[in-house]
Amino acid sequence: MSTAVAATEGVWTRVIGQRAVVEELRTAITDPTAMTHAWLFTGPPGSGRSVAARAFAAALQCPDGGDGTCHACRTVLAGTHADVTVIVPDGLSIGVAEARELVRVAGRSPSQGRWQMIIVEDADRMSESAANAVLKMIEEPPPRTVVMLCAPSLHPDDVPVTIRSRCRVVALRTPPAAAIAEVLVGDGVDPALAAWSAAASGGHVGRARRLARDEEARLARKAVLDVPLRLVSLGACMEAADDLVGSAKEETEAATEVLDGAETEALKNSLGVGARGPGVVAAARGSAGQLKELERRQKSRATRIGRDALDRALVDLAGLYRDAMVLAAMSSGGSPTADLPLNHPDRRADALELARRIGAEGALRRIDAILDCRTALEQNVKPQFALEALTVALRLPA
Ligand SMILES: [Zn+2]
């Protein structure tokens, strides 16, 4: 197999700021007889786990090791290759039915490509029984099958130890801001905006793209980072909690409205709802069940989108308090942290003001409160309650 494609060419150009990972994957495709059948891509959100998995899949199916231009490469990257299945959970979890279907597909011989490949994004969302079904398959993988799981970390909460021990692990790092900015400029973004978006994204490539392209995303970030200095009274805390919950809700509604409507319409059409004739009555009971199942999945997806939006806000807030903590420590000790990069370099003045008012210890306590809030949300505490408790804990001293 040719490996003429350099690390900076073809499908690998999509894998941003991960030189070591690209080298490892390029080496793996040079010897198909030694192919590992189960891979685990880990890395923080936005580091490009699934992007790396897709690039690897394309390089494996490509006769030229991932030139990025042939039919195999193009169809894999577009998600239409017959032998590459990508599971993207849009709800809160991947259930056992979905996992069994995945195992069934994995058992097929490749129809046109070299490998039958399955990519599972957010494999950390697999239920226990789903994980067991997948484990059974990777214990005795079919000879022409490659499975790639993507998860944030190797923590047992993300990936059961039994699965982890059977996978080859590829660890992505947070891509450096300069590498992200370079890609944005390549996409046609103005260099100054690209540099700002990359610096403000916290190393999350998708977030950087949204910040660069979308004025709404920039305004939403600003509203979140304005919160800490607003919290001067109990009333202000309640108002800020309302705002945070409200904007997550708006984002959820905007994202789900279009999806839900189209799906429900498509299902109704396929079930012949509204049709007349023999058999329609008999089918009605079954179709009610299917519509209910669709509604259940849509609700689960909406919960996830809302939770992700709130989580992004909390990560931004924690970043600002962390900046305040660093600046407070620097001003008191003149320590060698002087060159530590800030999470939100454009909000340095706010971080300094916070540092002055709450000190390093106060900032640390507020970061803890934010982590507690994330845990509460994961445990299904109502967002309004969790956020009110948080903003009160973040309140500025009089
Ligand atoms: Zn190709």
Side-chain angles (χ1 to χ4, degrees), residues 321-331 335 337-338 340-342 355 360 363:
Y321 286 109
R322 180 265 186 197
D323 289 349
M325 188 175 71
V326 168
L327 293 170
M330 262 168 55
S331 71
S335 62
T337 52
L340 225 52
L342 297 182

Side-chain angles (χ1 to χ4, degrees), residues 189-273:
V189 175
D190 163 73
L193 180 59
W196 179 86
S197 305
S201 73
H204 191 301
V205 178
R207 180 91 199 278
R209 281 214 171 91
R210 268 198 305 280
L211 287 170
R213 284 182 193 150
D214 184 1
E215 173 78 25
E216 290 281 318
R218 292 194 288 271
L219 290 174
R221 172 178 176 273
K222 181 185 179 308
V224 167
L225 293 176
D226 283 345
V227 163
L229 288 172
R230 276 174 62 193
L231 304 176
V232 291
S233 67
L234 189 60
C237 292
M238 295 296 130
E239 200 181 43
D242 273 352
D243 290 349
L244 289 167
V245 174
S247 69
K249 206 167 161 195
E250 267 171 35
E251 189 180 326
T252 309
E253 280 165 5
T256 52
E257 202 172 333
V258 184
L259 290 169
D260 289 1
E263 281 169 358
T264 307
E265 199 55 34
L267 180 58
K268 279 185 175 165
N269 285 338
S270 80
L271 293 170
V273 173

Side-chain angles (χ1 to χ4, degrees), residues 72-163:
C73 283
R74 280 187 289 114
T75 49
V76 172
L77 297 176
T80 56
H81 194 288
D83 298 323
V84 179
T85 305
V86 183
I87 313 284
V88 187
D90 59 1
L92 292 171
S93 65
I94 302 175
V96 68
E98 218 171 333
R100 289 208 182 108
E101 172 62 14
L102 175 166
V103 170
R104 195 183 64 75
V105 173
R108 293 200 299 231
S109 298
S111 65
Q112 39 174 274
R114 297 156 182 252
W115 302 94
Q116 180 67 249
M117 310 187 84
I118 313 276
I119 299 172
V120 183
E121 289 188 10
D122 301 326
D124 52 306
R125 291 178 197 266
M126 286 194 290
S127 70
E128 198 181 333
S129 40
N132 282 336
V134 170
L135 174 64
K136 241 177 248 160
M137 188 247 303
I138 60 178
E139 277 173 345
E140 281 174 64
R144 306 295 297 164
T145 296
V146 177
V147 178
M148 296 178 231
L149 308 174
C150 306
S153 78
L154 294 176
H155 192 280
D157 282 355
D158 285 341
V159 187
V161 178
T162 45
I163 286 191

